[in-house]
Amino acid sequence: MAESIQSLDQLSQLKTAAPDAPKHEKKVDKFNRAYATGKRKDAVARVWIKPGAGKVTVNAREVEVYFARPVLRMMIEQPFVVAARAGQYDVVCTVAGGGLSGQAGAVRHGISKALTYFEPELRTVLKKGGFLTRDSRVVERKKYGKAKARRSFQFSKR
């Protein structure tokens, strides 16, 4: 500060500009698709969304074929339901690693991120629902001297 402040009145007159919230803008490629990567456990999903009839394709297969359990399909649809966009976007994704549950979580995470790239105003709704947070829980590694990560070998007195 170049000038010195002599009283509290002068201090109250100094106003620092509050930083504005970061502006999120639409991120789409030349095919009008939004791309995002979703992760859960060991699974990684690459997701592209574009306006369409609501068709979901996972690893070149229909979602009903790839995720046979209704719970997993419901997980994938959650971001669209919360954002009130069910049946408005086509989803194409490739997913690798982990099991089916982790893959469904990865696809859900990727869809949520891609939705925020396509429509930035949906970010607050999806953030409040917890869809943009990457679930960082992974399987703990096995330690030496243990049967599993924490389980000890059986102990017997005989």
Side-chain angles (χ1 to χ4, degrees):
M1 286 205 303
E3 69 265 356
S4 61
I5 299 171
Q6 301 296 328
S7 68
L8 291 175
D9 295 330
Q10 291 177 339
L11 182 64
S12 66
Q13 291 170 358
L14 283 177
K15 294 202 182 263
T16 56
D20 290 337
K23 300 282 189 260
H24 299 284
E25 61 245 356
K26 187 174 178 177
K27 296 180 191 172
V28 292
D29 60 7
K30 62 182 178 182
F31 302 111
N32 198 28
R33 300 178 304 183
Y35 168 77
T37 304
K39 295 181 180 182
R40 170 80 170 97
K41 293 187 178 180
D42 277 340
V44 179
R46 300 184 308 156
V47 179
W48 291 267
I49 66 166
K50 64 180 180 178
K55 183 179 174 191
V56 180
T57 307
V58 181
N59 288 353
R61 285 188 258 171
E62 293 295 320
V63 70
E64 290 82 14
V65 176
Y66 195 85
F67 294 114
R69 286 189 287 173
V71 173
L72 299 179
R73 289 197 301 269
M74 182 199 69
M75 271 181 67
I76 291 172
E77 292 295 323
Q78 280 178 339
F80 294 120
V81 172
V82 168
R85 299 290 190 273
Q88 295 182 18
Y89 288 99
D90 287 341
V91 178
V92 177
C93 63
T94 59
V95 63
L100 284 178
S101 177
Q103 287 184 350
V107 170
R108 180 177 83 166
H109 186 225
I111 287 173
S112 303
K113 283 172 61 175
L115 267 176
T116 61
Y117 293 152
F118 205 89
E119 292 186 55
E121 61 272 6
L122 294 178
R123 183 172 175 80
T124 55
V125 176
L126 293 171
K127 185 87 168 160
K128 195 173 290 183
F131 297 112
L132 297 179
T133 306
R134 193 255 200 250
D135 192 350
S136 60
R137 296 176 296 172
V138 292
V139 178
E140 192 174 349
R141 76 171 188 88
K142 184 196 176 302
K143 279 79 171 184
Y144 59 88
K146 297 280 188 179
K148 293 176 22 179
R150 298 188 182 196
R151 188 193 187 288
S152 299
F153 293 111
Q154 181 177 346
F155 177 78
S156 174
K157 288 186 178 178
R158 296 182 234 170

